[in-house]
Amino acid sequence: MPRLSPVLSSLGQNAAAYAERAWAILLCGVVLALIARAVPVPWLAVLLLSAGATLAALATFIRVADLWGRRLPAGRLRRLCAAAPGSCILTDTRGEVLLANPQALRRVPASRGQPVAAAFAAVFADPERAVENLISAAARGESATHVRPGAEGALRLRVERAAHGVFVWHLDGGEPPAPDSALPMLRIDADDKVLSLNPAARELLGHVPASLDALRRGLPPAAHPDGEEIAIETAQGLLRRRLMTLPGRDGLRELYILPAGAMAGVAHPPEGLLDALPVAILQLDTDGTVRLANMRARELLGSTGVSTGSGPLNLCERLEGLGRPVSDWLAEAAEGRASNMAEVLRVARDDRELFVQVALARMSGGGLVAVLHDVTEMKTLEAQFTQSQKMQAIGQLAGGVAHDFNNLLTAISGHCDLLMLRHDPGDPDYGDLVQIHQNANRAASLVGQLLAFSRKQTLSPEVLDLRDTMGELAHLLDRLVGERVRLRIRHGEGLPRIRADKRKLEQVVMNLVVNARDAMPRGGEIRLETEAVELRSELRRDRAVVPAGTYAVVRVIDKGDGIPPDRLTKIFEPFFTTKRPGEGTGLGLSTVYGIVKQTGGFIFVDSEVGKGSTFTLYLPGYRGTEDEAAAPSPEAEDETRDIGVVLLVEDEAPVRSFASRALAMRGHTVLEAESGEEALEILADPTLEVDVFVTDVVMPGLDGPGWVSEALKGRPGTKVVFVSGYAEDSFGEIRARIPNSVYLPKPFSLADLTATVQRQLRAPAIRPGPTPPPGEDAMRGA
């Protein structure tokens, strides 16, 4: 279970979004089981019962993933990273990076899934051993700290055990240096060691004190509490200054040296003093009322002063997202009872989304000092991480489901094809067979949608002219939009050709047009526009980067109800839908997103409530030659068929039974094997002539490419047909390695299988020559 646990954990983040679907899937399984009881054909009943059992197992898996996600929420990693101030990296017990916040990424190359030792190669003489020792010490509850002196101050690494199997690495000091400010400032750690000084502090002191005690001339802190005037050693001799300590961004503290008399009661500081601080700072009452706020704090809170038209500015009214009243947190902090004196909260602003980390400090005379840091960039990175984890979990689930489910669908639709060959359209059972065949195709389409948004579907790209493609699709689109909606198509000049799967591109356009139609229940006009765009420089938008180059842009514009801002970021998520139950699955736009991204394009949406939406596709222009652009025309099957000997290797007995009967009906001699090892035993007979290998790709023991490579050593030039329920994501590498091979995805019909074998029998064989130099194989395979 080591690999399944992170999948279930990641899936658990969003299991609530589609755990409801488990009941629908379970219901489908029960319906198939009931149909199986009524079917008079025993083997067909067994197949339908197997399909029902698979659906029930899938429903159980989704429910288990939901429960697992609640027991071990993967979101806890993000909360740990968000709650940790400053530069923070999360690793597992082996030292592999799980998550890093933006501050840490700006300082070290901490890529997710890579060993953290690689990020600290410049810090340790033996990074692997040092990381292992620090993690072991943290796991035992001992102090796990490493300090490296440097010109910019000491870099301090501190490791803490945050949860079972999760460790937090804090990076303090070193980089970045203390911010430049008109006020002298020193950055100090929890042990009162001085890590860095800004230029104003260097100029004032004329030296770098090793610690806060050295600055206080060895007197204990109790003798001079924070805020009291003391005499300090400066370049001009002893001067009286007031020290003010504030919580810093990196989880440390920032000590400001103020003029004598400044901030004595904090009620009336010298004009401009607070604005000179390079941080956002507030003085608060325990109920959240803001008494003082510098310019940076007012900018973050979106306020022009400490009072509004309705009364004094209150921090509790400007912050949200704590999960409990902010006033309770402030009261606990003022009494010293708060478990965490720093929290990440959302600022209630209408103009933009803004997140701040609020660090609190108690004042000796009562009240609180709050320091605000803008962490919106970190929250953006967190959202990107969440999306990538979501897609990874869904993709792994979809791939596994597709393999097993496509095997069942192949057997169901294949044997249904065989039955339909023995029944005339007038036969009473023929209609039932047609229904079984149609529903099997619908199930195959659902699996295709699962693979689409996880970007693991099989594409058949060809070079397309958008004018021709949209022209062929126009009649169908007119029928889809209905009578109350009018469709207008307009093409731009100089459209570049694109390379895409024509059927999938049509699916993208149809889904977007249908969504536009549904957004205008009272009717209206949908505009489908194309345009040639030349990007001179990269385009950055919605966390995506579109490289410079030539693009064919497709826009679908409606004047419908629009999409609210809080839903705009969720519309491409699988199973997210605003439609009523029964009106949509929530897979339409996620399928569009998957197809566009797998094609190498980009999709963006602009929407305004009450005014409509615009979906924009950027599809890269094709740069190949005319000869490469010519799409291969499908080969028509003539009446005279080539007959050959076919070795069929398939570990699923129902699929093997159907494929064997289908090929035998076309006159081929079929040899069957249920594993790669058995296939090699059959081929051990040197007198046996075999024309085509038809083999599954993924099998227990020797897989398809493995046994075929071994067999081709003694039978070079033999044609190969690889079939698989998985997507064709790595077949390019297989084709480069194994000549004369083609790929047939499951589920396939009787006609698909026989036509593919027929084409292989007619195709000229490519005999492998001498072993080429390294790299030449891949070029020839491409």
Side-chain angles (χ1 to χ4, degrees), residues 562-586:
I563 305 170
D566 60 328
R567 295 181 176 180
L568 201 58
T569 58
K570 301 179 180 179
I571 59 173
F572 294 118
E573 294 183 4
F575 301 114
F576 177 81
T577 179
T578 58
K579 298 179 181 179
R580 292 176 295 182
E583 293 184 355
T585 62

